[in-house]
Amino acid sequence: MSSSDHNLLEKAIRRSVPNKVGSNHAELSAGARDVAIVHEHDLIMNPELHPVARQMPGTERALDYRDSLLNCLVDADPRNQRSFIEELLQASIPVPTLAVHLFAPVAARLGDLWCTDEADFMQVAVASTRLSMIVNHVSHLGINPPVDAKENRRVLLARTSGAMHTIGISIVASCFRDMGWTVDGGSDLEIGDSLYMRLSNRPYNLLGISVGRVDEVLECSEAIHRVQTSRPTRNMKIAVGGPAVIASPKAFNRIGADFVTRSALDVMQLASHV
């Protein structure tokens, strides 16, 4: 791996999940002025500092599980992971609260462990895989009852080829599922022919794209333009997020996306406005 690749991967792992909407939509930026004095990294590690996030039900209980989750992710014994999932499900904390206050900050902490040499790449990779499994497990078991088919909203999630770290997509998917959306795609769906085929086969209310590297902004812009100029999908909303957007949000403000997302909290606010 080259030095450049290593730096890109480090940034992806460090900032893959937290702080993904609102650069172009004031209604999705509630509380933004109140958190202006809080450093971005503080919000990544401690989203409870955000006035909107700290009002989410079950916040205090979710905070109490951070150390336990991190420990079971790095523990060599996988049985601790299973027991943690059981305990977390019994706590009955809402999935959106877990996404914002537990899963996202712990993912950021994993990145910090690598960046500070407290863990090597393989340890972080294994822990990240375990975290994705926990997110998916809790998400599917804690899902809301399906809504009326006439009111059901659909989101298609995809990523650029450079989005190597996909915990964020799992967390975003969990939020949409809990809010009653039908979620298609995910970390296995890249921008390209497969994506356009999915879009042509059935209607979606929203397309969410996770961007891994800032140098993929052109690729992302071209994909958005193609979707917006196609008759079947031109009225569909498009949101971009991911490590590259977190690192350089201004680079994505004028590429045609309807929403530029930087946190799990932003994603939930976005879902309520589409």
Side-chain angles (χ1 to χ4, degrees):
M1 180 181 293
S2 68
S3 175
S4 176
D5 290 339
H6 185 281
N7 291 335
L8 287 171
L9 186 56
E10 177 175 328
K11 182 177 291 186
I13 289 182
R14 181 182 178 87
R15 297 183 172 184
S16 62
V17 179
N19 271 9
K20 291 183 183 91
V21 157
S23 298
N24 301 319
H25 296 263
E27 74 275 13
L28 302 180
S29 301
R33 289 185 298 273
D34 297 330
V35 298
I37 60 175
V38 181
H39 193 277
E40 180 183 1
H41 189 260
D42 291 335
L43 284 177
I44 289 176
M45 303 301 295
N46 301 101
E48 66 275 13
L49 297 176
H50 193 293
V52 174
R54 65 171 170 254
Q55 296 177 22
M56 300 177 71
T59 292
E60 293 302 322
R61 286 181 295 157
L63 300 182
D64 291 338
Y65 278 102
R66 284 183 185 170
D67 289 340
S68 298
L69 175 56
L70 183 61
N71 289 336
C72 84
L73 293 177
V74 299
D75 197 319
D77 190 345
R79 290 176 296 182
N80 292 330
Q81 180 180 331
R82 292 192 292 270
S83 62
F84 176 83
I85 292 175
E86 293 174 359
E87 182 179 350
L88 192 61
L89 289 172
Q90 291 176 359
S92 299
I93 302 171
V95 171
T97 303
L98 292 175
V100 171
H101 291 292
L102 180 61
F103 299 144
V106 169
R109 178 60 180 145
L110 288 177
D112 277 355
L113 289 176
W114 186 37
C115 293
T116 57
D117 292 327
E118 297 175 70
D120 60 32
F121 174 75
M122 287 305 301
Q123 290 173 318
V124 172
V126 170
S128 298
T129 300
R130 288 181 174 180
L131 179 56
S132 290
M133 293 173 60
I134 291 174
V135 171
N136 291 330
H137 193 86
V138 172
S139 170
H140 284 90
L141 290 182
I143 192 170
N144 282 334
V147 298
D148 189 301
K150 294 182 179 179
E151 300 179 0
N152 195 20
R153 293 172 294 176
R154 308 184 68 92
V155 57
L156 181 63
L157 300 178
R159 64 179 179 87
T160 60
S161 59
M164 297 172 288
H165 208 54
T166 57
I167 297 175
I169 297 179
S170 298
I171 294 178
V172 167
S174 73
C175 292
F176 277 108
R177 289 193 193 98
D178 187 78
M179 298 181 75
W181 287 61
T182 295
V183 181
D184 290 338
S187 58
D188 293 332
L189 181 62
E190 289 189 21
I191 288 178
D193 292 339
S194 295
L195 169 65
Y196 305 129
M197 184 173 296
R198 289 277 193 103
L199 290 172
S200 66
N201 286 339
R202 61 177 53 180
Y204 291 94
N205 300 89
L206 178 68
L207 168 63
I209 302 175
S210 177
V211 189
R213 303 193 311 263
V214 177
D215 62 7
E216 292 179 308
V217 64
L218 179 59
E219 174 191 353
C220 191
S221 178
E222 291 174 346
I224 291 172
H225 177 72
R226 175 169 175 174
V227 170
Q228 291 176 333
T229 54
S230 174
R231 183 181 297 274
T233 56
R234 63 186 178 187
N235 294 323
M236 180 185 62
K237 299 297 184 182
I238 301 176
V240 295
V245 178
I246 295 170
S248 302
K250 292 182 179 180
F252 295 87
N253 282 347
R254 293 180 175 83
I255 66 170
D258 297 286
F259 308 103
V260 178
T261 67
R262 294 187 294 170
S263 72
L265 178 63
D266 287 344
V267 169
M268 289 188 299
Q269 292 177 309
L270 159 64
S272 66
H273 285 82
V274 174

